Every structure is written in structure tokens, then in C-alpha cells.
Amino acid sequence: MLSNVASASRAILSKGLMNKPIGENLDAPNLYAVLTMIAFAFLLPVSLLIETPGAIKTAVDAAVSGGTSLSSLTMISVLSGVYYYLYNEVAFLALNAVAPVTHAVGNTIKRVVIILASVVVFGNQLTPLGAAGSAIAIFGTLLYSLAKNHFK
């Protein structure tokens, strides 16, 4: 729930910035890049306090002793970061094209689709709470669509 609120808040605030001319080249991808750099600068000291370099070294050593090569671990970590950055940049491009509420509704449905795909592909069990949350998300999307069409 907190993740949905944070994502929707970021979308609304970012959309507000996208609609204002702030500079010569501050389009959606560049805005996302700037926000990412600012977030990195703010969160790096906090993350190093929470996960100290010693703890990070211990985790890397445990992965290497478990059979993962250091080069493989590095490649997986770098690719994970690059893919996540690109995923969020595409989300910003989508946000630039639609209203923040539409984007938030799409993001909620995307999460339901991922949950259902994990049930089908990986055979994960869907808990009653997960099923209820998915049903609420789908019903909320239906209501949003009906309201949007009604008030056009």
C-alpha cells in the first residue's frame, strides 16, 4: 500500500514538473535522470549507514563462497540496475503521455498482472489476502474506467 502511495505521489509531483518549462532540455527522460541522481545523492549516506561496507563485503563473500563468481555477481548487479532504470524511464515516458491518475491505475493493474503471471508461470500460491487485493484493484480500475467514460 505504501509503495502505491509513494509511486502515485512521485507521478503527480513529476507530472507537475513536466508541464512547466524548467530548462532547455528537461524532457521526461532527462527529468527522470536528474531525479535519479538527486535520489542517489540523498540515499547513499543513509544506505551506507544501514548496510555498512563490512556487511556488503560479508554478503558478497557469502555469495562467492556459495558458488557465484565475482564477475557473474557484478554483471547481474549491474544489469539489474540498468534494467530497473530503463523500466522506470519508460514509466516516466508513459506518465508524460497520460494523466497521473491514469498512470497510477495502469501501475496498479500491472502489479495484479505480475501477481497472476507468477501464479500461472511459477505455480505460486495466491493467498486469500492477495486474491482480495487483486480483486479490489481490478474492481477499482473498472470503477475508474466507468467514471471516466461517464464524465467525458
Side-chain angles (χ1 to χ4, degrees):
M1 177 88 151
L2 184 59
S3 172
N4 280 338
V5 171
S7 178
S9 298
R10 180 189 72 172
I12 291 168
L13 294 172
S14 298
K15 185 69 173 188
L17 288 174
M18 287 179 196
N19 294 333
K20 297 176 187 173
I22 298 177
E24 189 175 319
N25 296 317
L26 198 59
D27 54 359
N30 291 341
L31 176 62
Y32 178 67
V34 169
L35 290 175
T36 300
M37 288 185 262
I38 292 170
F40 177 78
F42 275 102
L43 292 176
L44 182 63
V46 174
S47 66
L48 289 175
L49 285 173
I50 293 171
E51 271 191 62
T52 63
I56 295 170
K57 182 179 179 344
T58 302
V60 169
D61 290 343
V64 169
S65 68
T68 304
S69 70
L70 186 59
S71 62
S72 176
L73 184 62
T74 302
M75 180 63 77
I76 290 169
S77 297
V78 167
L79 285 176
S80 175
V82 168
Y83 289 144
Y84 188 72
Y85 178 86
L86 292 173
Y87 157 75
N88 276 301
E89 187 167 334
V90 168
F92 253 65
L93 291 171
L95 175 63
N96 192 37
V98 298
V101 174
T102 304
H103 188 267
V105 169
N107 190 37
T108 301
I109 286 301
K110 175 199 71 176
R111 292 171 190 227
V112 171
V113 169
I114 289 171
I115 291 169
L116 295 177
S118 76
V119 169
V120 172
V121 174
F122 302 116
N124 293 340
Q125 294 295 320
L126 187 60
T127 65
L129 185 60
S134 296
I136 290 169
I138 292 168
F139 185 66
T141 303
L142 172 67
L143 291 178
Y144 170 74
S145 297
L146 292 173
K148 188 172 182 181
N149 286 334
H150 179 72
F151 291 107
K152 272 188 174 180

